[in-house]
């Protein structure tokens, strides 16, 4: 059974700093991995999707990396802004199974 | 493009009562998902539809939860009778992915969710 873990559960950093969020998964037979953002009272917004054959994806100030062999992914946020404050969730999808397995999320607070 | 619509946004009921949630996916999206997100946890898939057929309902508590997707468009999720542990946000999502496509990019679009409090 796939288990997805995100540590830390909460993180506070001053505005302008670069930061890294971590995601680990137990079963490396994944098809892809996605990073989502969730704002309070709102649904999830997909940020980046990395296929199993890829090692990283970039979108603006966000960069996600994937190391399948070690069961890890990181989300790097450059030059953090107060608007980046949200909960960030990673989710993995297995081959032959459309279901996404989510981590518990990291609640990020950027301090102005 | 209009997003995934869900209603009601908030619902408070007493245990053993019933509740129903409605979802209207993005037009043309064949796949529809219902997720349950308990406070402090990641979303957990309850049921997945491909058009109006069920693809995966392995984590749906079938003794109290039911879901349907009429005509392959809108969907309703019902809980009867509700328990305290059903307090959660119920998220609906949809995607273009069709079964047998090896998954494809499968980017899900989520609705804002329906927050249920069971007292």
């Amino acid at each position: 059974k796939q288990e997805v873990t995100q540590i830390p559960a909460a993180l506070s950093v001053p505005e302008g700093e670069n930061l890294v969020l971590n995601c680990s998964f137990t079963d490396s037979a994944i098809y892809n991995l996605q990073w989502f953002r969730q704002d309070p009272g709102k649904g999830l917004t997909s940020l980046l999707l990395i296929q199993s054959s890829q090692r990283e994806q970039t979108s603006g100030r966000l960069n996600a990396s994937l190391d399948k062999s070690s069961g890890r992914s990181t989300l790097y946020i450059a030059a953090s802004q107060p608007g980046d404050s949200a909960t960030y969730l990673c989710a993995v999808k297995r081959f032959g199974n459309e279901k996404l397995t989510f981590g518990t999320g990291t609640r990020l607070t950027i301090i102005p | 493009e209009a997003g995934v619509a869900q209603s009601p946004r908030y619902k408070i009921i007493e245990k053993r009562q019933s509740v129903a949630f409605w979802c209207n996916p993005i037009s043309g999206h064949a796949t529809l998902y219902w997720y349950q997100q308990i406070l402090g946890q990641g979303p957990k898939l309850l049921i997945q539809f491909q058009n109006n057929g069920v693809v995966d309902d392995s984590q749906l508590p079938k003794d109290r939860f039911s879901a349907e997707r009429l005509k392959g468009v809108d969907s309703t999720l019902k809980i009867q009778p509700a328990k305290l542990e059903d307090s959660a946000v119920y998220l609906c999502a949809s995607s273009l992915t069709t079964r047998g496509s090896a998954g494809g990019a499968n980017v899900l679009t989520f609705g804002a969710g329906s927050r249920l409090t069971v007292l």
Side-chain angles (χ1 to χ4, degrees), chain B residues 1-98:
Chain B
E1 158 181 274
V4 177
Q6 291 189 246
S7 68
R9 290 294 312 279
Y10 305 93
K11 188 75 175 179
I12 301 174
I13 61 173
E14 295 187 349
K15 59 183 179 184
R16 292 188 289 275
Q17 287 186 325
S18 63
V19 63
F21 301 112
W22 172 82
C23 173
N24 180 238
I26 291 175
S27 178
H29 279 196
T31 309
L32 185 147
Y33 313 78
W34 282 103
Y35 281 85
Q36 179 193 57
Q37 186 176 23
I38 294 172
L39 186 65
Q41 299 181 17
K44 180 185 79 172
L45 180 69
L46 292 176
I47 189 166
Q48 176 186 342
F49 291 95
Q50 182 70 30
N51 296 309
N52 60 353
V54 175
V55 174
D56 184 347
D57 64 356
S58 57
Q59 298 191 96
L60 185 74
K62 298 180 184 63
D63 58 334
R64 298 183 300 105
F65 286 65
S66 64
E68 60 181 5
R69 189 179 184 195
L70 299 175
K71 300 180 182 178
V73 183
D74 293 4
S75 177
T76 56
L77 175 70
K78 297 179 181 178
I79 307 174
Q80 181 178 14
K83 292 185 175 181
L84 297 177
E85 59 260 37
D86 298 332
S87 294
V89 176
Y90 291 86
L91 295 163
C92 179
S94 67
S95 73
L96 276 172
T97 310
T98 56

Side-chain angles (χ1 to χ4, degrees), chain A residues 1-24:
Chain A
K1 176 186 174 185
Q2 178 74 271
E3 293 185 3
V4 182
T5 305
Q6 292 184 248
I7 296 174
L11 180 66
S12 294
V13 300
E15 178 179 2
E17 285 198 0
N18 303 326
L19 60 100
V20 174
L21 305 180
N22 298 296
C23 170
S24 60

Side-chain angles (χ1 to χ4, degrees), chain A:
Chain A
K1 176 186 174 185
Q2 178 74 271
E3 293 185 3
V4 182
T5 305
Q6 292 184 248
I7 296 174
L11 180 66
S12 294
V13 300
E15 178 179 2
E17 285 198 0
N18 303 326
L19 60 100
V20 174
L21 305 180
N22 298 296
C23 170
S24 60
F25 47 94
T26 55
D27 186 347
S28 61
I30 65 170
Y31 185 79
N32 62 41
L33 181 146
Q34 294 186 54
W35 282 93
F36 292 86
R37 169 184 173 138
Q38 186 172 31
D39 293 283
K42 297 186 178 180
L44 281 69
T45 301
S46 181
L47 298 173
L48 289 165
L49 182 148
I50 311 176
Q51 299 291 356
S52 63
S53 58
Q54 299 173 321
R55 291 194 62 86
E56 65 179 287
Q57 281 285 341
T58 298
S59 175
R61 294 182 295 107
L62 305 180
N63 176 275
S65 68
L66 175 64
D67 183 345
K68 272 199 338 177
S69 61
S70 66
R72 295 179 186 273
S73 175
T74 61
L75 179 66
Y76 174 84
I77 302 177
S80 58
Q81 304 171 357
D84 295 330
S85 297
T87 296
Y88 291 81
L89 296 135
C90 66
V92 298
K93 178 174 177 292
R94 290 195 64 185
F95 281 97
N97 187 331
E98 307 241 355
K99 181 171 67 178
L100 288 176
T101 301
F102 282 85
T104 52
T106 294
R107 189 174 69 251
L108 176 65
T109 302
I110 305 300
I111 305 166

